[in-house]
Amino acid sequence: MTTEKPQSMLREASHQIIAGGSAGLVEICLMHPLDVVKTRFQIQRGTSDPTSYKSLSDCFRTVIRNEGIVGFYKGILPPIVAETPKRAVKFFTFEQYKKVLNLTPLSPGLALSVAGLGAGLTEAVVVNPFEVVKVSLQANRDSFTKQPSSFAQARLIINSDGFGARGLNKGLTSTLGRHGVFNMIYFGFYFNVKDAIPSSPDPTLEFMRKFAIGLVSGTISSCVNIPFDVAKSRIQGPQPVPGEIKYRTCFQSMALVYREEGYLALYKGLVPKIMRLGPGGAVMLLVYEYVSGWLRTNW
């Protein structure tokens, strides 16, 4: 009895980690081009910027013309390297926080949202250094062949600014806000609504039911957390004047963007973000649930 319980817990944890890692890997491979487009919009500083993209289609055309198709995959190695542990951490910690919160007086629906918040904050700490490297690579408009590798870029950041708040961990507060808010809504909405809408015995209809709920969940979460995302991109991306730090902290950056560019500037990149994290959020949850179910049945 004493040996069976740890084995069962270990197997359950391994299922969550493998399923979470698989979900992240599939999502990033499908959706990364939209992440590049989103970052490009977030770091440009209005129409006065001579390199400003006029529209979503203009951004796609310009990237293809100047950087080629591979330009849409700039900065993909950091998220791929980070994605397995990142999503594994997200889903594993969500399940653990959920278990703990089920022992509290919180209602089941609220407990799911708080567990999502905890999972998002934990995920943010793991992923932030990779985000710093990814954003700096995505901001580079040189052709793909002229761009430094992810490891070279990481070394450059470490050598010039170190590991701290000005180097490999800059923008951590914004990343915490982005991931915390996103996952609080993402998990809370998905699991509460999924439980409220009856499942279908037809596998195709059941898949569509879950996909639709995941799509709405990812879309709403993206709309709410994007000001944190814009602040993160401004802090982690190139500063307007080389050698001079303009965007320093999360809320200072939000206030600066609002004051100089208006309220709507806090929602830059929203369309590509929704295009990525709406279906991407659905893909992640579905891959997680189906892989997790397969593992429970077969391993």
Side-chain angles (χ1 to χ4, degrees):
M1 189 78 176
T2 54
T3 57
E4 188 178 339
K5 187 176 180 182
Q7 288 175 351
S8 176
M9 289 172 63
L10 181 63
R11 185 177 293 110
E12 182 184 356
S14 64
H15 289 173
Q16 292 162 3
I17 290 168
I18 293 168
S22 301
L25 185 61
V26 171
E27 189 270 342
I28 198 67
C29 290
L30 290 175
M31 301 296 176
H32 187 75
L34 290 164
D35 191 57
V36 172
V37 173
K38 179 210 72 174
T39 301
R40 293 287 179 88
F41 273 103
Q42 290 178 343
I43 61 177
Q44 66 184 26
R45 291 171 289 279
T47 54
S48 59
D49 186 343
T51 61
S52 176
Y53 298 112
K54 298 178 182 64
S55 64
L56 194 62
S57 59
D58 176 54
C59 182
F60 276 102
R61 284 195 304 269
T62 305
V63 172
I64 291 171
R65 184 174 63 249
N66 297 339
E67 304 165 52
I69 293 294
V70 289
F72 289 113
Y73 290 89
K74 284 183 173 180
I76 194 172
L77 187 57
I80 282 182
V81 172
E83 208 61 29
T84 299
K86 171 185 170 182
R87 302 306 189 192
V89 165
K90 179 209 284 275
F91 285 98
F92 174 71
T93 55
F94 171 72
E95 297 290 350
Q96 305 318 304
Y97 288 135
K98 189 170 69 173
K99 283 181 184 177
V100 172
L101 289 165
N102 283 338
L103 303 175
T104 69
L106 290 175
S107 66
L110 182 58
L112 287 165
S113 294
V114 176
L117 173 63
L121 295 175
T122 308
E123 177 192 30
V125 174
V126 174
V127 79
N128 193 64
F130 296 94
E131 286 288 315
V132 172
V133 177
K134 183 196 76 171
V135 169
S136 63
L137 288 170
Q138 290 179 340
N140 187 332
R141 298 195 183 197
D142 292 336
S143 67
F144 194 84
T145 54
K146 295 179 182 176
Q147 191 176 56
S149 70
S150 298
F151 295 109
Q153 188 70 18
R155 281 197 303 271
L156 182 65
I157 293 168
I158 293 167
N159 290 338
S160 60
D161 297 306
F163 291 91
R166 292 188 62 181
L168 211 56
N169 263 299
K170 65 181 173 182
L172 178 59
T173 304
S174 300
T175 306
L176 287 167
R178 184 182 80 157
H179 286 260
V181 170
F182 181 90
N183 287 290
M184 178 176 67
I185 299 168
Y186 180 63
F187 283 115
F189 183 92
Y190 179 79
F191 286 106
N192 279 298
V193 172
K194 192 185 78 163
D195 290 343
I197 298 176
S199 60
S200 171
D202 185 300
T204 303
L205 291 177
E206 178 62 7
F207 177 88
M208 294 305 296
R209 180 183 78 98
K210 289 180 178 179
F211 186 87
I213 299 169
L215 179 68
V216 175
S217 176
T219 300
I220 294 173
S221 304
S222 298
C223 292
V224 175
N225 86 328
I226 194 167
F228 289 99
D229 203 2
V230 171
K232 184 187 84 69
S233 293
R234 293 296 177 94
I235 295 167
Q236 294 177 347
Q239 298 291 316
V241 180
E244 183 181 309
I245 300 176
K246 181 176 181 178
Y247 303 104
R248 295 179 177 275
T249 63
C250 177
F251 293 105
Q252 175 261 349
S253 298
M254 285 187 195
L256 200 54
V257 170
Y258 172 73
R259 188 165 62 247
E260 293 184 348
E261 302 170 47
Y263 181 78
L264 289 177
L266 290 169
Y267 290 84
K268 281 185 174 180
L270 180 60
V271 174
K273 183 179 174 75
I274 288 174
M275 287 170 66
R276 181 200 169 182
L277 288 172
V283 166
M284 267 198 300
L285 285 165
L286 285 170
V287 171
Y288 177 76
E289 289 202 356
Y290 282 105
V291 171
S292 183
W294 185 89
L295 289 169
R296 282 196 300 270
T297 304
N298 296 281
W299 183 48

